[in-house]
């Protein structure tokens, strides 16, 4: 519980010394918190503990916005895949405002979709990962790390359904998963086709980061290897 006390310390001290008020847990506050009942002279009685914390079980982090022509892809992902009713959202950007203005319509749309935008032009992809320590995000069941240049099909045979991805993680005890990526550096899609694995979950020894989903334990493990010298993010795949 957080209370905002009056600057009048003497008045507050007198209230604390009053045996009648201490039993009722009355506090001198500048406003009444949710669940409180406002009394005379700004006194507040807390009758219920308001719910605090994240509104969703999962967090998606778009890392990182650079070019304005990629932001529509991020907006599409937020609107259609990592939807606001199920995912909290943060989007990092290293772009200066002359490259990606605050009034860019797609950026505005992202904000309206409850996605927090963090702009720090002096930082890079690897730096932004440090903004998500387990201490801050361990209340999420899953963390998704998504690049800014990914298009998610939402219809047809190649639809990406993150709910089903998470269900498969739970069924098969998987800590980290990623959908097949067209155009990835190492050609896993083609390897899957060659081995008749296009409709399968395949265990691999390497995931090149495009759309990685971590459970909370896996994110904590991943975070431990981050180093301040890895601004560009090399070797974090």
């Amino acid at each position: 519980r957080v209370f905002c006390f009056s600057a009048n310390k003497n008045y507050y001290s007198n209230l604390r010394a009053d045996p009648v008020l201490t039993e009722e847990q009355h506090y001198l506050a500048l406003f009444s918190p949710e669940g409180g009942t406002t009394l005379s002279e700004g006194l507040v009685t807390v009758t219920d503990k308001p719910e605090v914390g994240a509104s969703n079980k999962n967090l998606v982090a778009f890392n990182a916005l650079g070019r304005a022509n990629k932001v529509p892809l991020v907006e599409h992902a937020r609107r259609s895949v990592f939807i606001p009713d199920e995912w909290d959202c943060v989007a990092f950007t290293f772009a200066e405002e002359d490259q990606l203005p605050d009034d860019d319509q797609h950026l505005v749309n992202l904000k309206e979709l409850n996605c927090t935008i963090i702009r720090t032009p002096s930082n890079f992809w690897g730096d932004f990962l440090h903004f998500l320590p387990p201490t801050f995000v361990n209340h999420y069941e899953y963390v998704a790390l998504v690049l800014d240049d990914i298009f998610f099909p939402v219809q047809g045979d190649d639809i990406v359904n993150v709910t089903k991805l998470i269900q498969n993680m739970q069924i098969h005890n998987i800590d980290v998963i990623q959908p097949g990526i067209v155009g990835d550096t190492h050609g896993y899609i083609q390897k899957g086709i060659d081995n008749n694995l296009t409709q399968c979950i395949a265990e691999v020894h390497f995931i090149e980061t495009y759309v990685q989903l971590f459970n909370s334990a896996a994110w904590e493990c991943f975070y431990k290897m981050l180093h301040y010298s890895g601004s560009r993010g090399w070797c974090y795949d």
Side-chain angles (χ1 to χ4, degrees):
R1 300 185 183 186
V2 179
F3 300 92
C4 187
F5 294 111
S6 167
N8 190 333
K9 296 180 180 179
N10 292 330
Y11 185 36
Y12 175 58
S13 296
N14 291 336
L15 288 177
R16 291 186 62 183
D18 191 318
V20 177
L21 293 175
T22 53
E23 183 178 3
E24 290 277 334
Q25 287 191 309
H26 289 177
Y27 296 89
L28 179 65
L30 300 181
F31 59 92
S32 173
E34 183 181 354
T37 302
T38 303
L39 306 178
S40 61
E41 296 183 325
L43 291 177
V44 172
T45 302
V46 177
T47 56
D48 189 22
K49 182 179 180 181
E51 184 178 347
V52 296
S55 58
N56 294 304
K57 294 181 179 180
N58 309 313
L59 172 69
V60 58
F62 295 100
N63 189 11
L65 310 184
R67 292 163 289 180
N69 65 340
K70 302 298 184 184
V71 183
L73 294 173
V74 176
E75 181 192 343
H76 165 74
R78 175 58 170 164
R79 190 180 299 279
S80 304
V81 182
F82 300 96
I83 59 177
D85 287 344
E86 298 177 6
W87 292 79
D88 287 342
C89 175
V90 59
F92 302 109
T93 178
F94 54 82
E96 299 281 358
E97 196 166 352
D98 58 349
Q99 299 170 305
L100 181 59
D102 280 338
D103 60 359
D104 177 274
Q105 188 57 54
H106 296 289
L107 203 62
V108 171
N109 293 345
L110 268 178
K111 295 175 184 176
E112 292 177 350
L113 291 166
N114 297 325
C115 192
T116 300
I117 310 298
I118 298 178
R119 185 196 298 272
T120 52
S122 60
N123 291 109
F124 297 100
W125 187 85
D127 296 318
F128 288 124
L129 296 175
H130 289 269
F131 290 16
L132 301 171
T135 304
F136 294 166
V137 302
N138 62 6
H139 55 285
Y140 292 109
E141 294 182 7
Y142 293 91
V143 174
L145 183 59
V146 184
L147 301 190
D148 70 331
D149 57 352
I150 304 297
F151 172 71
F152 291 85
V154 292
Q155 57 186 358
D157 295 336
D158 297 322
I159 184 173
V160 175
N161 186 323
V162 293
T163 299
K164 288 186 176 180
L165 284 173
I166 288 176
Q167 288 173 350
N168 279 317
M169 293 177 74
Q170 296 168 341
I171 292 170
H172 301 288
N173 194 28
I174 297 171
D175 298 302
V176 183
I177 200 169
Q178 177 166 272
I181 304 295
V182 175
D184 67 317
T185 304
H186 299 276
Y188 275 118
I189 283 283
Q190 189 57 50
K191 292 175 182 177
I193 294 172
D194 294 342
N195 290 280
N196 197 30
L197 295 174
T198 54
Q199 300 300 316
C200 299
I201 299 171
E203 183 176 1
V204 296
H205 298 290
F206 175 87
I207 292 179
E208 183 181 8
T209 302
Y210 287 100
V211 186
Q212 274 187 276
L213 275 70
F214 302 78
N215 63 21
S216 58
W219 181 257
E220 183 172 357
C221 178
F222 178 82
Y223 190 87
K224 287 179 180 178
M225 74 171 176
L226 302 182
H227 192 266
Y228 69 89
S229 63
S231 294
R232 300 288 181 173
W234 304 121
C235 302
Y236 288 157
D237 298 294

